Structures are given as C-alpha cells and as structure tokens.
C-alpha cells in the first residue's frame, strides 16, 4: 500500500514519502548504520515542526512508514509539543 492509499492529508502524505525515501537510501547499509543514518538525517535536516508531525503520525499508528523509519524513531529527537496560541 502506498502512502497515497492512507487516509492522510497532503502534508502528511508528503512527510511519510520523504521519510520513506530517506529509509530507502540507507537500506543498502548494514542494519545498525541504516537505523542511525535515518535518525541522524532527520535530526539534522528536519525542523521541529516536521519531527513533531512525524511522531504524531507514528503515535497514531498504521502510518505507512517503512519499518526502517519506525526502527529509527527512538533515536530521533522528539520536539516539545507546539504551544497553543491563546486568543487575545
């Protein structure tokens, strides 16, 4: 099943696609290097908002992420929850 078959919005589908592309790149490396490579790449290049969305999708379950992305998730820095803006 492709990410487009999942009931996600366009932003979430794109985020899943990007994470899975990173995993595809690192899949050719030994398992421990692949897991660390995915986590390092996401930690280095994804802003907190993107990582927050990643964890929201993972926490929701049945997200469409490759097993390598899910295996790397514990090594990815989870950002603090977004602060809600109070109306004036």
């Amino acid at each position: 099943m492709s990410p487009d078959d999942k009931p996600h919005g366009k932003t979430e589908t794109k985020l899943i696609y990007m994470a899975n592309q990173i995993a595809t790149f690192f899949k050719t490396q030994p398992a421990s290097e692949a897991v660390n490579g995915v986590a390092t790449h996401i930690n280095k290049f994804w802003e907190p908002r993107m990582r927050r969305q990643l964890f929201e999708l993972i926490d929701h379950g049945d997200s469409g992420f490759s097993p390598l992305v899910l295996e790397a998730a514990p090594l990815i820095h989870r950002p603090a929850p977004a602060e809600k803006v109070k109306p004036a």
Side-chain angles (χ1 to χ4, degrees):
M1 182 177 276
S2 75
D4 293 330
D5 296 331
K6 299 285 184 183
H8 299 298
K10 191 172 188 172
T11 302
E12 291 87 359
T13 300
K14 177 88 171 162
L15 190 125
I16 293 165
Y17 176 79
M18 290 177 4
N20 287 343
Q21 286 294 102
I22 294 165
T24 298
F25 174 80
F26 285 104
K27 202 181 330 184
T28 60
Q29 298 183 6
S32 64
E33 290 178 32
V35 170
N36 285 326
V38 170
T40 299
H41 182 90
I42 290 174
N43 284 328
K44 234 184 220 188
F45 299 109
W46 285 26
E47 62 184 34
R49 177 185 52 87
M50 293 172 69
R51 286 184 280 118
R52 192 175 298 111
Q53 289 175 325
L54 171 90
F55 282 109
E56 286 171 1
L57 290 166
I58 289 172
D59 293 346
H60 185 263
D62 194 29
S63 57
F65 289 111
S66 82
L68 187 53
V69 173
L70 297 175
E71 198 174 341
L75 302 176
I76 297 170
H77 304 300
R78 184 183 287 257
E83 292 186 24
K84 300 211 188 305
V85 178
K86 294 179 183 179

